[in-house]
Amino acid sequence: DADVTQTPRNRITKTGKRIMLECSQTKGHDRMYWYRQDPGLGLRLIYYSFDVKDINKGEISDGYSVSRQAQAKFSLSLESAIPNQTALYFCATSQGKTYGYTFGSGTRLTVV
Amino acid sequence: TQLLEQSPQFLSIQEGENLTVYCNSSSVFSSLQWYRQEPGEGPVLLVTVVTGGEVKKLKRLTFQFGDARKDSSLHITAAQPGDTGLYLCAGHENYGGSQGNLIFGKGTKLSVKP
């Protein structure tokens, strides 16, 4: 099994719908992150969490919310999806402040 | 705000050619990392460079950290189609009060044709 698992891999949803993307990890890392990737814009941080009780906004948190249900689980919700939220979404984990990230395989989300 | 600029943005070469991609900043980083992302997958960590002037080799890939720790380069010798992908550099935030999150460059998209 992958160290960081994201579900679903692909999703098409309609404008205005609420959608949840899920991430689970077996690395035992405390730090978890949600990024979106768009062509020409690179990886942009949406939310991050350093433990179950610690949630922080990233640079583009508007329109998104997160839940850290356990050390191993971090989910991202789009409350009311809009077309410009169409993107590739990645979850990542890290062991600590100076360590590299382990990424999931991503969720390709299309909002029509 | 700390930024990482990568160049070139796109690179298309023939199998067997050599290439170098660059990662530059006006800020000093305590370390820089390089990731490779293949289509349909998440980025995978290739290497971390920590000391100014450091050179690390990973098979045909050579990574160098600038003496002033503001820049890094990735050199690929005799590129192969399997090297195709998006190469990202990243450094940890290190200004006062920062959380130490990674800052990513926008990447160099490499295509190696057989």
Side-chain angles (χ1 to χ4, degrees):
Chain A
D1 288 343
D3 293 328
V4 181
T5 301
Q6 291 185 237
T7 56
R9 286 299 309 272
N10 292 281
R11 180 73 181 266
I12 301 173
T13 192
K14 293 184 177 181
T15 297
K17 293 289 188 182
R18 185 178 190 273
I19 182 170
M20 180 182 290
L21 308 183
E22 299 194 21
C23 176
S24 63
Q25 55 121 342
T26 58
K27 299 286 286 185
H29 292 167
D30 287 328
R31 296 187 172 208
M32 297 188 74
Y33 306 84
W34 275 104
Y35 285 88
R36 65 177 280 176
Q37 187 176 42
D38 300 273
L41 297 178
L43 285 164
R44 293 183 291 167
L45 183 61
I46 306 172
Y47 270 95
Y48 60 101
S49 168
F50 290 168
D51 66 40
V52 174
K53 297 180 181 179
D54 179 72
I55 302 289
N56 304 279
K57 292 183 177 180
E59 62 180 298
I60 55 162
S61 60
D62 286 349
Y64 300 95
S65 64
V66 291
S67 173
R68 184 83 183 263
Q69 302 94 324
Q71 187 208 33
K73 295 184 182 293
F74 192 35
S75 59
L76 175 73
S77 294
L78 285 67
E79 299 303 324
S80 179
I82 57 177
N84 77 359
Q85 290 177 314
T86 292
L88 195 51
Y89 289 85
F90 287 104
C91 174
T93 73
S94 174
Q95 189 173 350
K97 194 170 181 177
T98 60
Y99 290 84
Y101 289 5
T102 301
F103 284 85
S105 295
T107 294
R108 183 169 295 280
L109 177 66
T110 303
V111 184
V112 297
Chain B
T1 304
Q2 294 176 283
L3 293 174
L4 286 166
E5 303 281 347
Q6 290 191 244
S7 61
Q9 190 176 356
F10 300 97
L11 190 55
S12 181
I13 62 171
Q14 293 295 130
E15 182 176 2
E17 292 183 10
N18 301 332
L19 67 114
T20 302
V21 298
Y22 301 92
C23 175
N24 294 291
S25 176
S26 58
S27 303
V28 173
F29 285 89
S30 55
S31 64
L32 280 180
Q33 300 177 350
W34 285 92
Y35 292 76
R36 178 168 65 209
Q37 183 180 11
E38 298 184 11
E41 296 298 328
V44 174
L45 179 64
L46 296 174
V47 76
T48 300
V49 285
V50 179
T51 305
E54 181 177 5
V55 176
K56 280 193 174 179
K57 293 192 175 185
L58 187 65
K59 297 183 181 178
R60 294 174 295 99
L61 279 60
T62 302
F63 304 86
Q64 184 161 7
F65 200 11
D67 290 342
R69 292 186 288 129
K70 293 183 178 181
D71 57 87
S72 181
S73 63
L74 159 60
H75 181 79
I76 302 179
T77 303
Q80 300 177 1
D83 296 325
T84 292
L86 179 68
Y87 289 82
L88 298 162
C89 69
H92 285 99
E93 297 173 329
N94 61 7
Y95 54 84
S98 72
Q99 299 279 27
N101 292 331
L102 273 179
I103 300 165
F104 286 88
K106 294 182 179 178
T108 293
K109 192 169 185 179
L110 173 65
S111 175
V112 183
K113 302 185 187 310

